[in-house]
Amino acid sequence: MATKLVPLPTGIISSEAKKLVAEVSTSVCGQDRAIRYFASAMERHWAGRRDPKHPDRPIISMVLVGPSGVGKTESVRALANHFLGSPERFTLINCGDFEHGHEVSRLYGSAPGYVGNELEPLLSQAMIDSHFIEWEVENGKYYRDACLMREKALKTLEQDHRDAMNEYFEASSQFLALKEKWEELTKQPEDQRSEADQAIVEKLVTEIPGDEAKVTALEERIEKISQIIMMVKAEIAKFKKVEEMKNDERVEGFRRDFFNSDYLKSYNLHPRKDVLSIVLLDEIEKGHPDLHKVLLSILDSGILQMARGGVTRFRNSIVIMTTNLGSDAMNEVMEGNNPYVQSFGTVGFVSRRTESGSGGDKDVDKRIYEIGSDALRAEFSREFVGRIDKIVAFRPLSFEALLEILDKLIREFNDGAMRGTSCKMAIEIKLEDGLKRHMVRESMKRWGEGARMLEKRFREYVDDYLSPLINTGVLEHGDRVFFKLEGNRPKLFKIED
């Protein structure tokens, strides 16, 4: 029979991946290629693709390389916000806190009898999963699922109770019938009984205790099931009541109940199977070699043995590492000490990465990747680097990307002012395009600091000019302020309708 090859589309992504890319891109500017790597990794996870030889390996393990201030940590925060509802819901391990070998045990716990044994390991199953469960608690899903699970269990328990009652009635009837028969036969003296009756009596003597024990066991079973049914009904009522609470009240109760030692111990015995966790190991080059051995175990098998028993499985974890290795060489690339990028002057700037284009972007990206990967291989063993799924280069931020970040800072200020979190009164600010471009140009004079220099310029040009007007009462609640560039400094105007 002849076969036919039907072409399939390539280069397509799922709707979930599109949503991931879109949401992360709003927080992380100018790193489209790196964000696509995240989406590709999740596509494999959603498709159920997994190494059968190592089923507990992380969903993806990657090292983010690139100059400082280009969005490496921010991308992790954006992933946490997308998957777990808050940019803070990920496990952060600052490797600089583990410069000494004895400090590494905080990750997997201390053996019984040693100092720190009472502390929960930072990488225990309960700890890395807690962010996902907290997210479920916040949106009510945790309690809805808990209710559904218990309602399902309640149906099974009630059926068991009915079955046990039927079995009890049958066994009781049989027991009473045998006992009545035995009492009737034993009324006659033994020497007056027939051989048949005597044989029946002897048989009843052996059967009655067994039937009596069966009836007693059924009574105890019925009592136990009844108690469990009452407990489950009480839990369902409690969870339904908790589900009606405010989000922050639910989260506060969850943190109080979940992070007690008894719960954590039981959780390691019965971990959730549907969780998703994010683990960030920041600046891995600063950690002790013993920390790198722990990482090697995670990358190789996806399993980390806890000192006091139990294991942590990273099969549902996104493991991300960051490094500043090679940052000096990267800064040289960006500052123009090579053919790729020319340096900035004091009056303006001249570069292949200009406002109108980014002519050297691909060359710079390639060079950044080469510097980062070469630095990794020089610092870590071939065995360690070989088990990393992906080395992702974060490119230097272009002029357009920094403009996007500045717009994001303005939005965050205005949104926070309306909520009362970024300013003590609701004030809306608008910046002239010329001022925005000036702030970005000033920031780009210091390549090595990336978006952090732009944040400093925002504080200098916006906060330092706005704050005195708020504190002296010149501005009031609900005012709108327009910032315009005059000379090299901003000029502020109150917008009146």
Side-chain angles (χ1 to χ4, degrees), residues 24 27-29 64 70-80 87 280 394 408 412 455:
V24 175
S27 299
V28 183
C29 303
L64 310 184
V70 294
K72 297 191 294 293
T73 303
E74 186 63 27
S75 65
V76 178
R77 290 169 52 84
L79 286 174
L280 171 62
F394 272 61
K408 177 174 172 258
E412 289 176 349
E455 292 173 351

Side-chain angles (χ1 to χ4, degrees), residues 322-358:
T322 67
T323 178
N324 287 329
L325 290 171
S327 58
D328 290 341
M330 294 173 190
N331 288 337
E332 289 181 5
V333 171
M334 293 184 292
E335 289 168 0
N337 296 327
N338 55 64
Y340 294 111
V341 183
Q342 299 174 16
S343 62
F344 288 88
T346 56
V347 177
F349 66 92
V350 202
S351 173
R352 295 183 187 181
R353 301 169 64 82
T354 62
E355 294 184 30
S356 59
S358 52

Side-chain angles (χ1 to χ4, degrees), residues 168-182:
Y168 171 76
F169 289 135
E170 183 179 340
S172 297
S173 300
Q174 182 177 339
F175 168 70
L176 291 174
L178 290 175
K179 191 174 181 181
E180 185 178 334
K181 181 70 174 176
W182 180 82

Side-chain angles (χ1 to χ4, degrees), residues 263-492:
Y263 197 106
L264 290 172
K265 289 176 184 177
S266 65
Y267 186 87
N268 277 321
L269 296 176
H270 306 285
R272 293 279 298 276
K273 295 181 180 180
D274 60 342
V275 302
L276 185 142
S277 60
I278 300 172
V279 180
L280 171 62
L281 298 119
D282 202 22
E283 298 182 319
I284 56 172
E285 72 278 4
K286 294 183 178 180
H288 190 272
D290 288 350
L291 171 64
H292 303 151
K293 292 179 182 177
V294 171
L295 278 176
L296 182 61
S297 173
I298 295 172
L299 299 178
D300 183 34
S301 64
I303 297 175
L304 181 61
Q305 183 71 42
M306 297 290 106
R308 60 190 186 192
V311 298
T312 298
R313 301 181 186 277
F314 290 83
R315 62 180 294 127
N316 293 319
S317 299
I318 300 170
V319 177
I320 299 176
M321 297 159 275
T322 67
T323 178
N324 287 329
L325 290 171
S327 58
D328 290 341
M330 294 173 190
N331 288 337
E332 289 181 5
V333 171
M334 293 184 292
E335 289 168 0
N337 296 327
N338 55 64
Y340 294 111
V341 183
Q342 299 174 16
S343 62
F344 288 88
T346 56
V347 177
F349 66 92
V350 202
S351 173
R352 295 183 187 181
R353 301 169 64 82
T354 62
E355 294 184 30
S356 59
S358 52
D361 273 1
K362 291 184 179 179
D363 289 335
V364 173
D365 292 345
K366 181 180 178 182
R367 186 68 185 126
I368 292 294
Y369 174 81
E370 290 173 349
I371 292 172
S373 57
D374 289 347
L376 271 177
R377 291 181 173 87
E379 179 73 16
F380 297 102
S381 67
R382 183 180 300 178
E383 181 185 22
F384 181 86
V385 177
R387 281 168 172 77
I388 298 170
D389 292 332
K390 194 74 178 177
I391 299 174
V392 181
F394 272 61
R395 65 179 66 177
L397 294 173
S398 66
F399 189 93
E400 291 76 14
L402 286 169
L403 275 178
E404 288 183 38
I405 293 173
L406 180 54
D407 287 335
K408 177 174 172 258
L409 291 174
I410 296 170
R411 286 196 305 271
E412 289 176 349
F413 178 93
N414 289 333
D415 292 343
M418 293 301 295
R419 295 194 302 268
T421 57
S422 67
C423 186
K424 70 179 183 181
M425 60 177 64
I427 291 177
E428 181 183 354
I429 62 171
K430 294 183 179 182
L431 272 65
E432 177 193 39
D433 287 343
L435 176 58
K436 291 181 186 178
R437 303 177 85 82
H438 174 77
M439 292 171 65
V440 171
R441 284 196 294 268
E442 289 294 303
S443 302
M444 293 181 79
K445 291 179 181 179
R446 297 280 297 275
W447 274 101
E449 297 188 37
R452 293 190 180 94
M453 178 52 67
L454 181 60
E455 292 173 351
K456 293 177 183 178
R457 289 284 180 259
F458 186 85
R459 289 194 293 271
E460 178 184 345
Y461 281 71
V462 176
D463 293 346
D464 290 353
Y465 280 80
L466 194 64
S467 298
L469 300 179
I470 295 174
N471 295 332
T472 56
V474 175
L475 292 177
E476 299 177 350
H477 183 83
D479 283 346
R480 293 182 295 158
V481 181
F482 183 75
F483 289 73
K484 186 177 181 181
L485 180 66
E486 289 193 3
N488 287 326
R489 311 308 297 172
K491 181 77 174 177
L492 278 65

Side-chain angles (χ1 to χ4, degrees), residues 199-255:
I200 293 173
V201 169
E202 292 174 357
K203 183 179 180 182
L204 291 175
V205 168
T206 59
E207 290 181 355
I208 287 175
D211 285 357
E212 186 177 14
K214 182 178 180 180
V215 170
T216 303
L218 286 169
E219 288 175 344
E220 293 175 352
R221 180 184 170 193
I222 291 169
E223 177 64 24
K224 187 175 182 179
I225 294 175
S226 299
Q227 291 176 356
I228 296 173
I229 287 174
M230 291 176 62
M231 181 182 69
V232 171
K233 286 182 176 179
E235 286 183 346
I236 291 173
K238 173 187 173 183
F239 286 145
K240 286 185 175 179
K241 185 177 180 180
V242 171
E243 192 179 347
E244 296 172 358
M245 292 181 178
K246 295 180 181 178
N247 289 355
D248 54 349
E249 292 176 344
R250 286 201 298 262
V251 170
E252 183 181 353
F254 159 76
R255 289 173 179 165

